[in-house]
Amino acid sequence: MKSHKTLYPKIYDLKNLILAWRKARKGKTKKDYVINFEEDLAYNLKILHEELKNQTYNPKPLKTFILRDPKTRKISKAHFRDRIIHHAICNILEPIFDRAFIYDNCAGRKQKGTLFAIKRFERFRRKITSNFSSKGYCLKADIKHYFPEINHEILLEILKRKVRDEKVVELLKRVIERERERERDARTSFNNKGLPLGNLTSQFFANIYLNELDYFIKHKLKAKYYIRYVDDFVILHKSKSQLDKWKKEIEIFLKDKLKLEIHPDKSKIINLSKGVDFVGFRNFYYFKLLRKRNIKNIQRKIILFHKHKLSNEKFSETFQGWSAYSDWSNNYWLKNKLIKRIIQPH
């Protein structure tokens, strides 16, 4: 396995920091914290460069808030200067790790995502069922409390297999330690686990962590029709008993190697003809429907818009995104109904 020993100067290189700043500010140029940082841009970037170079950089405390959208989630927001560092790290490390990812890892990767995942799912489903002429099954699973359960020691060991530059490892440690939710237990010690939702590096580290599962399923179990999107995954097969056997082996692997477990209520083996809920769609043989939660969410946004709690610009951006996404489903009537509701609220 190729390892990389001289990565640190690439991270603090000013050209990389400028690229990282451009990525961090994208879509946020009107925010006060971006405007403040850019009042003395050259100086602030130079400070970051010097702190990294001299290894005196320390992330600032995270700002945590509760988001109800519609599910209640705890989101942690990094300081803008730290977000620049996150992008600087990912600019250098992502291409290295991405080369090792399996083809059907669809989370947070260029030219891959929910639509790529759904196309692969459709292709696999047709292969398994010989174009819907025979039975097929799907193991649909997700990881229980994934981000809060990521173990720091295991994560760092995985990172160190490819990153042999000690200075980069030390920087990653600082980011990971700052990112974890420092919740004291009864013994007033800190949990050595957890990455918060909301940070770029959290998504990146989470993808690397479950790459271990990808390799186990593809190379150890030899499962041919497997797709993963973040902590949601599916395996398709003609045999229900084979999927049941694999499910047990996956549960053992996750517990022993990654200190994780499959969600007991959300993980099951489903007959493909009954429809499978995957990456925002309920996928049936000849049509796709949007998840009910997805529909309720956009309806709630329309209500907020009419109550002037959502700006024209923000709502327009949200609805356009939802509209493009919904076009992949067979909910045509719904889109027209919602457009009428936007124009005529009563």
Side-chain angles (χ1 to χ4, degrees):
M1 184 186 288
K2 187 177 178 183
S3 64
H4 298 263
K5 295 180 181 177
T6 55
L7 294 171
Y8 198 60
K10 293 179 182 179
I11 292 174
Y12 67 71
D13 184 88
L14 268 172
K15 284 182 181 176
N16 185 43
L17 290 175
I18 290 166
L19 175 61
W21 156 69
R22 285 184 176 142
K23 287 182 176 181
R25 78 193 290 271
K26 194 173 180 182
K28 297 174 175 65
T29 53
K30 292 177 184 176
K31 298 282 186 183
D32 288 342
Y33 57 79
V34 176
I35 293 166
N36 291 339
F37 187 89
E38 292 175 357
E39 279 176 1
D40 205 342
L41 179 62
Y43 174 77
N44 286 327
L45 288 176
K46 185 71 174 167
I47 290 290
L48 282 180
H49 168 78
E50 293 296 333
E51 285 182 16
L52 287 172
K53 188 176 179 180
N54 300 325
Q55 290 187 275
T56 57
Y57 166 74
N58 272 309
K60 291 181 179 290
L62 297 165
K63 285 185 180 176
T64 302
F65 57 96
I66 303 300
L67 186 68
R68 294 176 176 86
D69 192 21
K71 203 163 64 172
T72 301
R73 292 178 294 163
K74 189 175 178 181
I75 305 293
S76 296
K77 206 172 185 179
H79 194 278
F80 183 64
R81 75 194 300 270
D82 295 325
R83 281 184 248 168
I84 294 171
I85 300 297
H86 295 171
H87 278 283
I89 290 168
C90 291
N91 286 347
I92 304 305
L93 296 191
E94 257 184 355
I96 293 166
F97 282 92
D98 193 77
R99 286 194 287 271
F101 291 159
I102 66 164
Y103 186 73
D104 290 307
N105 167 355
C106 305
R109 299 174 69 196
K110 284 178 184 174
Q111 297 174 330
K112 300 202 174 178
T114 53
L115 298 181
F116 175 86
I118 215 70
K119 284 179 184 177
R120 293 293 282 173
F121 181 82
E122 286 178 359
R123 184 178 175 181
F124 290 171
R125 192 175 54 174
R126 285 185 176 275
K127 280 181 176 287
I128 289 297
T129 61
S130 303
N131 276 333
F132 311 137
S133 64
S134 63
K135 273 190 179 182
Y137 298 90
C138 174
L139 167 58
K140 163 76 173 70
D142 73 9
I143 310 294
K144 186 179 178 183
H145 305 315
Y146 179 46
F147 278 79
E149 291 297 323
I150 291 173
N151 183 287
H152 294 174
E153 287 177 21
I154 296 171
L155 174 59
L156 281 164
E157 284 306 310
I158 295 167
L159 289 165
K160 281 194 273 190
R161 283 185 218 152
K162 279 197 172 293
V163 179
R164 295 291 174 87
D165 186 326
E166 287 298 327
K167 290 181 179 178
V168 176
V169 172
E170 188 54 42
L171 174 62
L172 296 177
K173 271 185 189 175
R174 289 187 185 196
V175 171
I176 290 165
E177 291 303 302
R178 174 57 74 194
E179 284 198 349
R180 74 182 178 184
E181 295 177 49
R182 293 175 171 267
E183 293 181 359
R184 294 179 182 269
D185 64 17
R187 298 183 304 277
T188 68
S189 63
F190 290 123
N191 291 326
N192 191 29
K193 63 182 182 179
L195 297 178
L197 290 167
N199 283 356
L200 177 72
T201 41
S202 290
Q203 297 163 34
F204 175 52
F205 294 147
N207 216 1
I208 290 168
Y209 202 78
L210 277 189
N211 188 48
E212 303 295 298
L213 174 67
D214 298 343
Y215 269 68
F216 175 74
I217 291 173
K218 291 292 286 184
H219 300 296
K220 182 77 176 172
L221 301 183
K222 308 283 186 193
K224 197 174 178 183
Y225 302 111
Y226 165 72
I227 310 163
R228 179 172 66 81
Y229 184 83
V230 195
D231 61 328
D232 236 351
F233 65 89
V234 291
I235 308 175
L236 284 70
H237 202 277
K238 288 181 182 292
S239 165
K240 188 178 181 181
S241 62
Q242 178 64 75
L243 288 175
D244 194 49
K245 185 174 176 244
W246 281 346
K247 182 173 181 278
K248 291 182 177 75
E249 291 183 66
I250 289 166
E251 285 171 343
I252 293 165
F253 173 83
L254 285 170
K255 186 180 178 183
D256 291 350
K257 301 294 183 184
L258 297 176
K259 304 277 191 285
L260 297 171
E261 60 179 297
I262 282 177
H263 201 297
D265 303 326
K266 296 179 183 176
S267 304
K268 55 191 82 171
I269 296 166
I270 305 159
N271 188 319
L272 284 167
S273 65
K274 300 284 174 65
V276 177
D277 194 335
F278 184 51
V279 291
F281 297 100
R282 289 179 289 153
N283 299 275
F284 298 90
Y285 269 6
Y286 300 105
F287 62 95
K288 285 193 294 293
L289 297 177
L290 289 167
R291 267 183 184 163
K292 288 176 183 176
R293 192 172 74 192
N294 183 297
I295 296 166
K296 284 180 182 175
N297 195 22
I298 195 66
Q299 288 173 333
R300 194 170 57 82
K301 293 282 171 68
I302 291 169
I303 291 167
L304 290 173
F305 172 65
H306 285 309
K307 288 182 176 178
H308 306 290
K309 292 181 179 178
L310 211 57
S311 68
N312 280 357
E313 187 182 4
K314 186 68 181 171
F315 177 73
S316 177
E317 184 186 317
T318 300
F319 190 78
Q320 280 175 25
W322 179 87
S323 177
Y325 188 72
S326 72
D327 284 346
W328 285 83
S329 74
N330 299 91
N331 293 90
Y332 310 116
W333 60 272
L334 173 70
K335 188 174 170 180
N336 291 332
K337 187 179 173 184
L338 291 178
I339 289 168
K340 283 178 184 175
R341 193 181 294 180
I342 293 165
I343 298 165
Q344 298 172 328
H346 302 295

